[in-house]
Amino acid sequence: MPWVGMDFGKKVQVTQVQCIPRTDDNYMHYGDQYELKYWDSTAWKSLGTQITENNSLIYDNAPLHVLFWLSN
């Protein structure tokens, strides 16, 4: 089981703990602008840009059975 500890060298009062997993930063950031593109067998076509307001984006006009590329 993973374990994390901190030694402050003296007694301290901890009022908040935030755990941020170590990643290659492959997730969306609130307020950032993203563009979704798809490959139509000849070129990348844009489905438009959106600014994130939560942890997901919704594209109603996305085609099926294509390769997508989400860029920030």
Side-chain angles (χ1 to χ4, degrees), residues 3-67:
W3 183 87
V4 176
M6 299 289 291
D7 182 358
F8 296 101
K10 62 180 181 179
K11 259 187 156 178
V12 297
Q13 181 178 353
V14 177
T15 59
Q16 182 179 9
V17 175
Q18 182 177 14
C19 182
I20 301 171
R22 195 169 151 192
T23 71
D24 60 359
D25 198 28
N26 267 345
Y27 43 102
M28 288 188 248
H29 297 273
Y30 302 119
D32 279 9
Q33 180 174 295
Y34 292 86
E35 181 179 16
L36 182 62
K37 301 174 194 147
Y38 69 95
W39 183 256
D40 77 347
S41 77
T42 59
W44 289 104
K45 304 285 183 170
S46 178
L47 291 169
T49 60
Q50 293 186 26
I51 296 175
T52 55
E53 295 177 5
N54 53 40
N55 62 352
S56 64
L57 299 170
I58 297 174
Y59 284 87
D60 294 323
N61 56 341
L64 298 174
H65 311 295
V66 296
L67 178 65

